[in-house]
Amino acid sequence: MVNHWSLLILLVLNIYFVANIYTCLCAPNISSVCSKQERLALLKFKHSVYDATNMLSSWVGNDCCQWERVHCNKITGKVESLHLRGREDIYGVFWVNGDMFDVQECLVGNEVSSSLRHLSNLKFLDLSANDFRGSRIPEFIGSFKQLSYLNLSYAYFSGVIPPHIGNLSNLKVLDLRSDDLVDTLMSDDMSWMSGLSSLEYLDLSYVDLSKAENRDMVFYLMPSLVKLSLSFCGLTNADLGTLSNSSTTLASIKHLDLSDNHFKGQFPGFFRNMTSLEFLDLSYFNFSLSRNSTNFLSTIHYFPQMRLSSCGLHNTHLSPNHLNFTKISIIQYLDLSQNLIEGRFPSALTNMSSLLSLDLSSNSVNSSVPIMPNLLRLDLSGNHFQHIEDVGIWRQCHLKKLTVRNNYFGIEMTDSPKNVSECSQYAFERLHLDGSLKGTFPAYSFGRMANLRGLSLSHNELTGPIPESLGSLRLLEELDLFYNQLTGPIPTFIGKLTKLVLSYNHLNGSIPESIGRLAALTVLDLSINQLTGPIPTSLGRLVSLQVFSVYSNSLNGTIPVSIGQLTKLRDLDISNNSLEGVITEAHFAKLSMLKHLDTASNSKLTFIVSREWKPPFQLIIAELSSSKIINGFPQWLRTQKKLKVLRLSNASITGPLPTWLQKIPVIGLLDLSHNKISGPLTNLPINEGSVDVSDDYTKSLLLQDNLFNESIPFSLCRRIDLEFLYLARNRLSGKLPNCLGNMRNLYTMQLSSNQLSGAIPSSIVMKGVSLEYTTTFEYVINMDLSSNKLASEIPVELMSLFGLVGLNLSNNLLNGSIPENVGNMKALISLDFSGNQLTGPVPPSIAALNFLSHLNLSHNNLSGRIPTGNQLQTLMDPSIYVGNRDLCGAPLPKNCSNNEDQTAMHQNSKASNRKSNKVWFYMDIMCGFAAGFWGVIGVLLFKKEWRHKLFRFSEETVDKIYVAVVLRVNKMKRGRESA
């Protein structure tokens, strides 16, 4: 029996031992699933932002710990890190038919969703480089007690920084930097800084501290602070004065940025106490106002890295007599850009043997640059050098990076073995010579720079072919020859190229098949050249390619299906070529990252995809104009939820708009012009519930030259963001809706050549308030309502559109006279009232239109003398006034001798009519007053009971109004106090 118990106990102990070993050894490798509450919190945040580039596309499924940008504790499963930083430069700038579109990888929202407050274990939060539309930093961030990293920089927050951030006692990094002067963060009291005792990194650049109390808190009570950036914070000398009285100020600081503030005068002496300081930025510190400005550099304390940009320094400051060479020998990085240094290169800088990097850009240096053997980086952009040899480019054997942008050398650079004879080998890794060179491409000289990794020669006047020697640079990663006058074929490139930009030149020949060997290539831009032949099939081997642009060439042949294998491609622009054949689903097979697609102006190109096709991508810009689209309106567009630009002009589309179109999010720029689309406009995408994030895009609705019929729907008025509305040359009928006045951002409205009828509304109703043209269409610069059936007088209010440049009301049924105040439209360049039934004289004020270059008043019933003077003297074409039988005077041949008083008679007649109308007007008022007065007062005189009820009602009404006003005032006071 004892043995049985012993065995049982031993078995239990073994099980327990094995379980503990398993728990100790294996538990750390088990990933716990995140809680439902935290998963829902993250999903609510996802749904609160606009994610154009699918940053959060992986946020699906039940385990949020497996999502990208989310990190959890492996044991508890609690979310500890959110890496939601956007990238402003990931796509760069797209040009679409002259419009610039800046596509960024970022999240856009009206505020940070409060759902994030449920992530109570957060230690790391990065929301930088997103767009929160000028909203406030949420107060709940102060509840993340474990937070050690908080980055809200460049996220378009504004308003007062919540003091709740001071609760984050474990915070080591706080970055609130911005570079936007519109949505500016500010602080009214910096006492919350006292709670951040663990802080090591603080960036408050562009935060307005000018009115903040306790500003000195930024410099005290943070013994661990290593990096402090206070650029453009509105600080003054008074703030620096408080620092000189303390020896404990910023004791551990290594990096201090005080640039772009309001400092002036003497160099602050307290920097001498900052023995650990390695970097100091005092740019825009105006030293020229100091009492002894020429000697101050000999007294200041120097640091290894110094930025003294825009400090008013000139040559005298940098003379050997005013520099302490014992002290300056410590400087390794020196920025003297945007100062007043001119003429000769400062000799004092030549003797600074410790100097590794020197920035002298945006000065007025024009002499030969000496050789500084230890210097590695030199920036001489924006000076007055006349010749590339003055920079010493062929003698700088040790420089690794040379930047000489925008010098506009007056002498062509030479290409000779002599240029490289002084250096057995060049150390150049980066050369930026943009906007400075002209002449033949220096093939021999650049070909010898075997260490080159980046060469930028854009915006020059270089001619001749791209040398083969350039293509043989094995280490070359980036080559930018944008906007030159280069000719000849594209050479064969080898090596590690990641960026090749050859656009805006005169290159010819075909794109070489060898381009497919550049496996590391991410950007290939060959646009606006004279290239011919097909797109090479080898392009499909560029597995890293993100941007491929060949627009505005003469490429022909079919588009290789291999393009569909470029899984990282984001920007595909093959527009304005002579490509032909069929584009099918296979061309997009794996393009899941595609955001910009432009195939426009390839008239022999045809799109044939099935109606059930669901593309793998979510486009932001789709340009398919002037290519043939088969199977009607593209059904696959219903899957595109991110579209901000859609152009399908001249694409052979027929039939009505599909009903599903009205349910997709609003498309900022929608161009369906020059097709044969019929039916009403009611199916346009005007979903009010969609988030408006199209601020960077031109808001246009271009539907001209179609077969649209019926009336302009009231639903169109919801597009209050529209800047351009083109409905010309359709079959629209009915009246102009008054609600069109809701479009207060409108620049151009073209409704010509339809069958619109009725009156031109002189005022429109918006939210129950009558608004005249002056406040409604305040931005309109062009209005075209010609060739309709509008029948009314020209509204006088229309003449108050002071910014109007073009007004065309021709070929309607308008009657009455031309408004006398037509001369108020001072900006008018073109005015056309022809082909109507207008009567009366041409108003003399029309002569005040000083910019008028096109005028047409023909084929009306105008009479009297044609006005003269000012700009009208230059408009002497008789056709301007032809078809008005009773008009006379130049430039018409009809003399006014018998009709000179006609205008005066017309004015007297109008005055007589006005006088008669006034008499009847006052008589009507008197009769109405008499009837109303005795109709009410007379009854009250004889009805005592009515009088009592009336007075009682009046007293009760006054009491109610009084009580309502008092309650309203008290409520406003309480709201102000709580704020």
Side-chain angles (χ1 to χ4, degrees):
M1 187 72 178
V2 175
N3 290 334
H4 288 296
W5 279 107
S6 299
L7 289 173
L8 182 61
I9 293 171
L10 183 61
L11 180 61
V12 171
L13 288 173
N14 283 333
I15 293 173
Y16 177 77
F17 181 71
V18 171
N20 274 279
I21 291 176
Y22 178 81
T23 301
C24 294
L25 296 179
C26 300
N29 296 322
I30 299 175
S31 297
S32 299
V33 178
C34 73
S35 69
K36 179 180 179 181
Q37 184 185 41
E38 292 193 334
R39 175 171 56 85
L40 292 177
L42 290 172
L43 289 176
K44 285 183 179 179
F45 172 81
K46 176 183 179 180
H47 295 146
S48 72
V49 295
Y50 177 80
D51 182 14
T53 55
N54 300 323
M55 286 173 57
L56 309 181
S57 59
S58 68
W59 287 24
V60 293
N62 292 326
D63 189 3
C64 63
C65 294
Q66 302 301 317
W67 298 349
E68 293 180 3
R69 300 174 178 265
V70 179
H71 295 165
C72 299
N73 185 292
K74 291 184 178 180
I75 297 175
T76 65
K78 296 294 185 181
V79 176
E80 292 187 338
S81 300
L82 274 184
H83 300 258
L84 300 177
R85 179 178 182 83
R87 289 179 59 187
E88 297 184 355
D89 59 344
I90 190 160
Y91 301 130
V93 173
F94 299 147
W95 289 91
V96 180
N97 286 8
D99 296 322
M100 184 179 75
F101 302 101
D102 188 8
V103 181
Q104 303 173 351
E105 183 181 89
C106 69
L107 305 174
V108 181
N110 293 324
E111 61 181 0
V112 178
S113 173
S114 60
S115 65
L116 293 185
R117 69 170 69 243
H118 297 296
L119 308 179
S120 56
N121 292 275
L122 270 185
K123 295 181 179 179
F124 184 103
L125 178 59
D126 189 347
L127 296 174
S128 60
N130 290 297
D131 184 359
F132 290 102
R133 314 298 290 276
S135 63
R136 301 292 181 91
I137 295 175
E139 295 179 358
F140 66 77
I141 284 180
S143 65
F144 298 141
K145 301 295 185 181
Q146 301 181 41
L147 205 63
S148 63
Y149 182 98
L150 178 59
N151 192 343
L152 305 178
S153 62
Y154 304 110
Y156 293 95
F157 288 111
S158 66
V160 177
I161 299 173
H164 306 73
I165 290 180
N167 298 331
L168 305 176
S169 57
N170 290 314
L171 203 62
K172 292 185 177 180
V173 174
L174 176 59
D175 193 345
L176 302 179
R177 183 184 184 92
S178 172
D179 62 356
D180 192 273
L181 297 179
V182 179
D183 296 325
T184 306
L185 282 172
M186 60 174 294
S187 179
D188 50 14
D189 192 339
M190 295 298 294
S191 58
W192 54 270
M193 292 292 302
S194 60
L196 306 179
S197 56
S198 302
L199 208 60
E200 297 177 2
Y201 178 109
L202 176 61
D203 194 339
L204 297 178
S205 299
Y206 281 76
V207 175
D208 185 1
L209 302 179
S210 61
K211 298 178 182 178
E213 297 181 4
N214 300 305
R215 284 195 298 271
D216 56 347
M217 289 286 190
V218 178
F219 303 104
Y220 298 108
L221 303 178
M222 289 182 290
S224 303
L225 201 62
V226 174
K227 182 173 181 179
L228 175 61
S229 295
L230 297 173
S231 176
F232 214 101
C233 288
L235 302 177
T236 64
N237 285 53
D239 298 300
L240 294 181
T242 62
L243 298 178
S244 59
N245 300 323
S246 174
S247 60
T248 61
T249 301
L250 303 175
S252 303
I253 197 75
K254 291 185 178 180
H255 178 112
L256 181 59
D257 183 354
L258 296 175
S259 61
D260 289 281
N261 282 288
H262 304 305
F263 304 138
K264 58 186 178 181
Q266 288 294 119
F267 194 92
F270 66 84
F271 290 117
R272 297 189 184 95
N273 299 327
M274 298 182 180
T275 55
S276 60
L277 197 62
E278 297 175 357
F279 174 93
L280 176 63
D281 190 343
L282 289 178
S283 298
Y284 288 90
F285 193 121
N286 195 344
F287 293 113
S288 62
L289 299 180
S290 64
R291 286 172 304 206
N292 192 0
S293 64
T294 56
N295 290 324
F296 83 93
L297 284 176
S298 63
T299 62
I300 68 174
H301 191 72
Y302 293 93
F303 306 99
Q305 301 181 52
M306 296 191 69
R307 292 197 67 218
L308 299 175
S309 175
S310 303
C311 290
L313 302 178
H314 48 79
N315 297 61
T316 309
H317 288 117
L318 301 176
S319 67
N321 298 330
H322 300 290
L323 289 176
N324 188 327
F325 282 94
T326 303
K327 294 181 178 180
I328 65 174
S329 61
I330 194 177
I331 301 179
Q332 296 177 349
Y333 302 88
L334 180 60
D335 183 353
L336 297 174
S337 62
Q338 300 183 63
N339 278 290
L340 305 174
I341 304 167
E342 58 184 0
R344 297 182 60 83
F345 189 93
S347 59
L349 301 178
T350 308
N351 300 322
M352 295 175 63
S353 58
S354 61
L355 206 57
L356 301 177
S357 177
L358 175 62
D359 189 345
L360 280 176
S361 61
S362 299
N363 281 284
S364 301
V365 181
N366 58 20
S367 67
S368 180
V369 177
I371 303 301
M372 303 171 66
N374 296 325
L375 197 66
L376 300 178
R377 287 174 287 277
L378 178 62
D379 192 342
L380 299 172
S381 303
N383 278 279
H384 294 166
F385 296 105
Q386 294 295 312
H387 198 281
I388 186 66
E389 274 72 19
D390 293 338
V391 178
I393 184 172
W394 313 127
R395 295 178 286 110
Q396 300 284 1
C397 305
H398 304 285
L399 272 181
K400 289 189 174 182
K401 181 178 180 180
L402 175 63
T403 305
V404 195
R405 292 189 172 107
N406 302 325
N407 269 274
Y408 306 105
F409 297 121
I411 305 174
E412 293 186 7
M413 66 187 307
T414 57
D415 189 24
S416 167
K418 295 180 180 179
N419 294 337
V420 293
S421 60
E422 298 184 32
C423 302
S424 58
Q425 185 176 1
Y426 283 100
F428 284 124
E429 295 178 359
R430 305 281 173 182
L431 267 178
H432 301 282
L433 304 177
D434 312 86
S436 296
L437 308 178
K438 63 180 180 180
T440 307
F441 201 107
Y444 183 84
S445 303
F446 285 131
R448 289 284 304 275
M449 298 181 181
N451 294 312
L452 268 183
R453 286 170 169 78
L455 178 60
S456 182
L457 303 174
S458 67
H459 293 91
N460 284 303
E461 298 178 20
L462 294 175
T463 58
I466 301 173
E468 291 286 343
S469 59
L470 204 60
S472 62
L473 296 175
R474 295 184 175 275
L475 299 181
L476 195 62
E477 297 171 354
E478 296 184 1
L479 176 60
D480 187 352
L481 301 178
F482 171 81
Y483 211 91
N484 278 280
Q485 300 169 20
L486 300 171
T487 56
I490 298 173
T492 299
F493 289 96
I494 61 175
K496 304 178 180 179
L497 268 179
T498 61
K499 180 180 179 181
L500 180 60
V501 179
L502 306 178
S503 52
Y504 281 84
N505 280 285
H506 306 299
L507 302 175
N508 51 39
S510 60
I511 303 174
E513 280 284 341
S514 61
I515 207 81
R517 301 174 191 165
L518 303 175
L521 206 60
T522 61
V523 175
L524 178 58
D525 188 352
L526 308 177
S527 55
I528 311 186
N529 278 287
Q530 299 167 14
L531 300 174
T532 56
I535 297 174
T537 57
S538 64
L539 194 75
R541 300 202 297 266
L542 300 180
V543 293
S544 300
L545 198 64
Q546 297 180 23
V547 176
F548 178 58
S549 181
V550 289
Y551 72 88
S552 294
N553 279 283
S554 299
L555 299 175
N556 51 39
T558 59
I559 301 172
V561 178
S562 61
I563 280 184
Q565 303 301 308
L566 302 177
T567 57
K568 296 184 179 180
L569 194 66
R570 301 174 183 271
D571 180 4
L572 174 59
D573 191 343
I574 56 175
S575 62
N576 199 18
N577 280 284
S578 299
L579 297 168
E580 57 189 35
V582 176
I583 293 181
T584 65
E585 299 170 18
H587 287 88
F588 307 103
K590 297 182 180 180
L591 303 188
S592 59
M593 302 298 291
L594 195 65
K595 303 301 172 189
H596 175 213
L597 172 63
D598 193 343
T599 64
S601 300
N602 286 284
S603 58
K604 298 179 181 179
L605 208 57
T606 303
F607 272 82
I608 302 180
V609 295
S610 67
R611 297 178 66 85
E612 294 76 27
W613 180 53
K614 294 182 179 180
F617 48 70
Q618 283 290 323
L619 295 178
I620 296 176
I621 299 176
E623 264 272 11
L624 310 178
S625 297
S626 299
S627 301
K628 294 183 178 66
I629 295 179
I630 306 299
N631 295 333
F633 200 92
Q635 292 292 313
W636 60 269
L637 288 173
R638 68 193 305 174
T639 68
Q640 303 300 295
K641 307 300 183 183
K642 313 287 186 180
L643 273 177
K644 289 300 159 189
V645 176
L646 175 60
R647 288 188 186 270
L648 296 174
S649 174
N650 192 26
S652 305
I653 300 175
T654 60
L657 295 175
T659 55
W660 55 259
L661 192 62
Q662 63 180 309
K663 298 178 182 179
I664 69 173
V666 171
I667 300 173
L669 192 162
L670 177 59
D671 185 356
L672 303 177
S673 63
H674 297 88
N675 284 290
K676 294 182 179 180
I677 305 175
S678 57
L681 298 174
T682 49
N683 287 336
L684 289 171
I686 48 177
N687 182 5
E688 288 182 295
S690 62
V691 180
D692 179 20
V693 294
S694 57
D695 291 347
D696 294 332
Y697 300 85
T698 302
K699 276 76 77 175
S700 303
L701 186 57
L702 312 177
L703 306 177
Q704 69 270 25
D705 293 281
N706 275 288
L707 303 174
F708 289 113
N709 54 29
E710 299 187 13
S711 59
I712 298 175
F714 291 103
S715 57
L716 183 62
C717 300
R718 298 176 192 167
R719 287 297 309 272
I720 59 175
D721 61 323
L722 276 182
E723 297 169 336
F724 299 91
L725 175 61
Y726 285 34
L727 299 176
R729 294 176 295 281
N730 277 284
R731 298 176 179 178
L732 298 172
S733 59
K735 296 182 179 181
L736 285 173
N738 288 339
C739 66
L740 285 178
N742 294 352
M743 300 176 182
R744 304 193 63 178
N745 295 312
L746 213 58
Y747 288 108
T748 299
M749 180 169 64
Q750 289 194 359
L751 307 179
S752 61
S753 299
N754 282 284
Q755 300 173 25
L756 299 170
S757 59
I760 301 175
S762 60
S763 62
I764 39 255
V765 177
M766 187 177 78
K767 297 181 181 178
V769 180
S770 180
L771 296 173
E772 301 301 323
Y773 281 109
T774 51
T775 58
T776 304
F777 291 121
E778 55 185 332
Y779 299 117
V780 175
I781 59 175
N782 186 25
M783 182 181 292
D784 188 348
L785 301 175
S786 62
S787 300
N788 282 286
K789 298 179 180 180
L790 300 173
S792 67
E793 294 187 358
I794 299 174
V796 176
E797 294 84 356
L798 193 61
M799 304 300 106
S800 299
L801 284 173
F802 304 124
L804 203 63
V805 172
L807 177 59
N808 191 347
L809 304 179
S810 63
N811 298 313
N812 279 286
L813 303 173
L814 299 174
N815 51 53
S817 59
I818 299 175
E820 294 181 1
N821 58 343
V822 65
N824 291 348
M825 295 187 288
K826 299 294 185 182
L828 267 185
I829 295 177
S830 176
L831 177 63
D832 194 339
F833 289 161
S834 63
N836 282 286
Q837 300 171 12
L838 300 175
T839 59
V842 179
S845 70
I846 202 170
L849 301 178
N850 295 324
F851 298 103
L852 199 63
S853 60
H854 173 79
L855 175 65
N856 194 347
L857 303 178
S858 63
H859 301 290
N860 280 284
N861 297 315
L862 301 172
S863 59
R865 180 186 294 276
I866 296 174
T868 58
N870 299 334
Q871 186 68 8
L872 285 182
Q873 298 297 105
T874 65
L875 303 175
M876 300 305 290
D877 184 355
S879 64
I880 293 174
Y881 307 101
V882 73
N884 290 280
R885 186 181 60 185
D886 295 327
L887 272 183
C888 61
L892 292 177
K894 185 177 181 179
N895 196 298
C896 282
S897 58
N898 298 324
N899 305 83
E900 289 179 355
D901 295 328
Q902 191 163 339
T903 301
M905 289 173 61
H906 178 80
Q907 291 175 343
N908 291 336
S909 175
K910 288 177 67 177
S912 177
N913 288 336
R914 283 197 298 268
K915 185 175 181 180
S916 175
N917 289 337
K918 284 183 179 180
V919 172
W920 285 108
F921 175 72
Y922 290 125
M923 288 183 67
D924 286 344
I925 289 178
M926 292 173 65
C927 292
F929 175 76
F933 180 83
W934 291 110
V936 176
I937 302 302
V939 172
L940 292 177
L941 286 174
F942 297 101
K943 288 283 187 178
K944 181 179 180 180
E945 182 181 351
W946 286 24
R947 289 203 304 272
H948 286 299
K949 287 185 177 181
L950 176 63
F951 295 143
R952 191 181 307 116
F953 173 75
S954 301
E955 289 180 357
E956 291 175 355
T957 302
V958 171
D959 289 341
K960 288 180 180 179
I961 294 174
Y962 173 76
V963 171
V965 170
V966 170
L967 290 175
R968 181 64 176 170
V969 170
N970 289 336
K971 185 177 180 180
M972 292 173 63
K973 286 181 178 179
R974 287 196 302 272
R976 193 177 298 113
E977 290 170 359
S978 62

